[in-house]
Amino acid sequence: MKESLIQARLEKLKGLREKGIDPYPARFSRSHTIGEVSAHFSFLKEGEQSGEQVTVAGRLVALRRMGRASFLDLRDGSGKIQVHASAGRLGEERYQELCSSDIGDFIGVRGDVFRTKMGELTVEVAEWSLLSKALRPLPEKWHGLKDIELRYRHRSLDLVANQAVREAFVRRSRMVSAMHRFLDARGFLEVETPMMQPIAGGATARPFVTHHNALDIDLYLRVAPELYLKRLVIGGLERVYELGKSFRNEGVSTEHNPEFTILEIYEAYSDYEGMMSLVEELVVTSAQAAVGSTRITYQENEIDLSPPWQRIGLVQAVEEATGLSLDGVTESDIRKQARKKGIELPEFSHGKLIEHLFERFVEPGLIQPTIVKDYPMDISPLAKRKQGTEGLVERFELFIGGVEIANAFTELNDPIDQRARFEDQERLREAGDDEAQRMDEDFLFALEHGMPPTGGIGIGIDRLAMLFTDSPSIRDVILFPTLRAREVRR
RNA sequence: GGGUCGUUAGCUCAAUUGGCAGAGCAACGGACUCUUAAUCCGUCGGUUGCAGGUUCGAGUCCUGCACGACCCA
């Protein structure tokens, strides 16, 4: 029974306290991290003594007792090292105390560095101290923690037990910091805009609602930072970005988590063509930082991220994939053609139909990086009309590995057109589309004072992290994915 | 929301047709001064996710529920 495992450790804890040993001391000074010791003493040959002492600390992850001498493995954030302890060196009592440590305890040791006859770099313990007593056993040392529900609910254990998980989150962090450096170096200003908004705008999605007690108003968790970032461009902050959480009140899947991380970038005097080049460079730079290469493997597919990426028109791509002819054709024409080909279509409006056909027939095949451009206007209420076309806007989405990674526009800066687009969205809402965007008078007020020609892009950070870590599920790149609440384990 | 699959010891997994719930690791006790998944001997550890039902007998079959995974919308 688990209680007895904990009980045994509580007994040990009591025994330590009775001996005057603090099982949770406040601090411990180490001379080196374990990684530093490994690097510094790499020259030692088999059986060779360095004659130098180090003080290291870490979690006890293995204990191999052989009577009056033992080998222990300690792990810290930089690596793992073997420690040798003997009763002869430590004295009987301290040796026995060390050997009665449990896997999972944090321990600090001081001692000489040497290499064993078998070639393992080892610290010979001259002195040691307990730094933190673990009361619960760690997951099994060899198989680790596999139960996917336990891994998500108890990520700390997942990280302790599974090295690949630690590495994935390190990669994600490297990717994000490379993005900051990239944008900072190009003169983009990092800003923070409200996550709680009176109107959740900037994307087609259902929001979470919350309530501010003192003001007695409902606020929405943002579905995108877009409309606030554009206000900044209007105000003269010509290059801005925000990298942070947004929230969409939708189902959970391998590609969706209710809270997710998005990078939005706005650049005055750029446009969607400019954003295409920007995202190519940004993805290459962050791939180099995270993976060390622009060639990656994602779910058995070899992907070459080096630019230039293929650029295709949305409508043409759908026409080629389906054999339908869509250019300048009405919704009922599309339905008529589809029926002839035996393609069933849901009750969507014109733009949504094309998007639906795209998602069904084109998107899964977009393994190599592909920019899909020129979207129907009715599903893109914040993007500028494309000159010389009927009902298309300057918008593109980026697909890699069959997954949507980014969405970008030449931003709509005509306030009269923007108002008309919001009105269209309101009509859709009244017709029952609860994902339709809201009329945002405050945003229009700002826009009516003039926004320069601007390009903007939103990049799904979690999705990109999936690609860079070869993860099949978004939950593998989110430290604490959203799960249904469950009774706390005792 | 629908479909399929899963839930057995702290962890990783077994259990034949419905017939005594098991192993490895961990824990506990013992032997062992170059091990590294240490080894060897012994011991402990179970409300088989929860609630019902069928049956002489249920981990196994049936119903409902909870949680999760995958697919679809």
Side-chain angles (χ1 to χ4, degrees):
Chain A
M1 205 163 101
K2 185 164 192 177
E3 284 307 313
S4 69
L5 294 175
I6 294 171
Q7 206 53 46
R9 296 195 180 201
L10 285 171
E11 290 297 323
K12 283 188 188 176
L13 193 72
K14 202 173 147 206
L16 291 167
R17 285 202 157 117
E18 279 164 3
K19 285 188 196 172
I21 296 170
D22 178 1
Y24 300 103
R27 51 191 60 80
F28 182 78
S29 303
R30 43 185 190 174
S31 65
H32 297 75
T33 66
I34 287 168
E36 285 166 354
V37 173
S38 302
H40 194 255
F41 294 95
S42 60
F43 64 88
L44 280 177
K45 294 188 176 64
E46 285 167 16
E48 193 181 356
Q49 301 282 333
S50 72
E52 284 184 62
Q53 281 210 335
V54 296
T55 305
V56 295
R59 193 190 284 276
L60 181 63
V61 293
L63 172 56
R64 296 178 290 281
R65 288 195 67 165
M66 296 165 306
R68 291 167 50 75
S70 296
F71 288 99
L72 298 79
D73 291 339
L74 286 190
R75 194 170 77 205
D76 72 6
S78 64
K80 192 166 89 172
I81 197 164
Q82 178 168 271
V83 167
H84 183 253
S86 71
R89 182 76 190 267
L90 278 174
E92 199 66 44
E93 190 181 354
R94 285 299 279 161
Y95 174 73
Q96 290 303 335
E97 282 167 7
L98 178 56
C99 288
S100 65
S101 297
D102 289 299
I103 306 293
D105 291 355
F106 280 86
I107 283 173
V109 305
R110 179 177 61 79
D112 289 297
V113 180
F114 72 106
R115 194 177 291 281
T116 65
K117 291 173 204 163
M118 298 303 290
E120 186 80 22
L121 195 68
T122 303
V123 177
E124 177 65 47
V125 188
E127 191 183 19
W128 73 276
S129 50
L130 175 63
L131 305 182
S132 185
K133 185 75 192 158
L135 296 181
R136 290 179 188 269
L138 291 180
E140 209 254 347
K141 63 180 174 184
W142 187 242
H143 297 95
L145 185 66
K146 286 191 173 168
D147 184 299
I148 206 159
E149 186 174 353
L150 291 182
R151 287 186 45 226
Y152 294 152
R153 286 193 192 278
H154 305 291
R155 187 68 93 179
S156 49
L157 296 183
D158 190 25
L159 288 163
V160 168
N162 298 316
Q163 187 178 357
V165 174
R166 293 196 295 278
E167 283 168 0
F169 288 104
V170 168
R171 272 194 188 189
R172 177 178 171 133
S173 178
R174 296 220 167 104
M175 176 189 93
V176 168
S177 64
M179 289 175 165
H180 284 287
R181 285 195 301 278
F182 175 93
L183 292 165
D184 294 347
R186 278 164 181 72
F188 286 88
L189 207 61
E190 182 171 16
V191 296
E192 293 175 86
T193 66
M195 290 202 190
M196 295 193 294
Q197 305 176 347
I199 295 171
T204 303
R206 268 182 289 265
F208 288 93
V209 196
T210 187
H211 188 77
H212 189 293
N213 291 337
L215 296 179
D216 191 25
I217 52 169
D218 280 342
L219 289 168
Y220 299 92
L221 300 188
R222 69 180 179 194
V223 295
E226 170 148 358
L227 299 183
Y228 284 88
L229 292 170
K230 285 183 186 172
R231 283 169 169 90
L232 301 181
V233 176
I234 293 166
L237 302 182
E238 294 183 342
R239 294 177 170 207
V240 292
Y241 75 96
E242 180 165 13
L243 199 162
K245 291 277 179 74
S246 285
F247 309 85
R248 295 184 185 176
N249 203 340
E250 293 164 358
V252 174
S253 78
T254 49
E255 289 177 21
H256 298 86
N257 196 63
E259 63 177 295
F260 64 101
T261 304
I262 189 167
L263 167 61
E264 287 205 1
I265 308 168
Y266 292 84
E267 183 176 14
Y269 308 106
S270 185
D271 58 10
Y272 81 146
E273 301 272 355
M275 292 298 112
M276 292 178 200
S277 311
L278 186 77
V279 73
E280 281 176 341
E281 285 185 68
L282 181 62
V283 167
V284 163
T285 302
S286 54
Q288 286 288 4
V291 189
S293 170
T294 54
R295 302 188 75 89
I296 62 172
T297 302
Y298 185 66
Q299 304 297 293
E300 320 272 279
N301 287 309
E302 299 290 327
I303 297 174
D304 182 0
L305 297 172
S306 48
W309 298 336
Q310 192 191 4
R311 300 179 182 187
I312 59 176
L314 172 70
V315 173
Q316 295 91 304
V318 174
E319 284 179 333
E320 281 168 25
T322 60
L324 304 171
S325 72
L326 303 170
D327 200 17
V329 169
T330 65
E331 184 192 328
S332 61
D333 281 336
I334 297 174
R335 291 189 182 283
K336 219 174 287 170
Q337 293 182 51
R339 208 170 301 126
K340 267 184 210 153
K341 294 200 178 284
I343 301 171
E344 280 193 40
L345 292 176
E347 287 305 310
F348 286 162
S349 63
H350 185 259
K352 269 197 168 178
L353 266 188
I354 291 173
E355 191 177 42
H356 169 83
L357 288 165
F358 172 78
E359 287 170 0
R360 199 160 135 202
F361 293 101
V362 184
E363 184 175 326
L366 299 181
I367 304 301
Q368 298 304 317
T370 306
I371 285 169
V372 178
K373 57 179 200 167
D374 302 335
Y375 276 62
M377 187 168 74
D378 58 333
I379 55 169
S380 316
L382 303 169
K384 202 172 184 65
R385 288 169 198 268
K386 185 174 170 73
Q387 289 292 312
T389 70
E390 189 60 44
L392 294 183
V393 295
E394 295 192 358
R395 169 184 176 187
F396 75 85
E397 290 191 336
L398 167 64
F399 295 85
I400 307 176
V403 177
E404 179 194 337
I405 298 295
N407 181 25
F409 320 137
T410 300
E411 301 298 336
L412 177 53
N413 64 345
D414 173 346
I416 294 166
D417 194 5
Q418 183 66 79
R419 180 175 292 279
R421 305 277 196 96
F422 278 143
E423 284 167 351
D424 288 343
Q425 290 290 307
E426 288 289 338
R427 273 191 285 277
L428 288 176
R429 176 171 289 277
E430 279 158 26
D433 181 353
D434 56 359
E435 288 188 343
Q437 300 197 24
R438 311 301 298 256
M439 173 67 69
D440 189 335
E441 286 292 350
D442 190 72
F443 171 67
L444 281 170
F445 178 83
L447 198 62
E448 284 164 2
H449 291 81
M451 182 168 84
T454 298
I457 188 166
I459 300 168
I461 295 301
D462 312 287
R463 301 261 182 95
L464 209 51
M466 287 167 68
L467 286 178
F468 290 173
T469 57
D470 194 18
S471 299
S473 168
I474 198 169
R475 284 170 229 123
D476 294 327
V477 297
I478 293 175
L479 282 165
F480 301 99
T482 305
L483 294 177
R484 210 179 286 268
R486 200 173 198 197
E487 275 179 51
V488 177
R489 291 169 72 95
R490 291 301 305 261

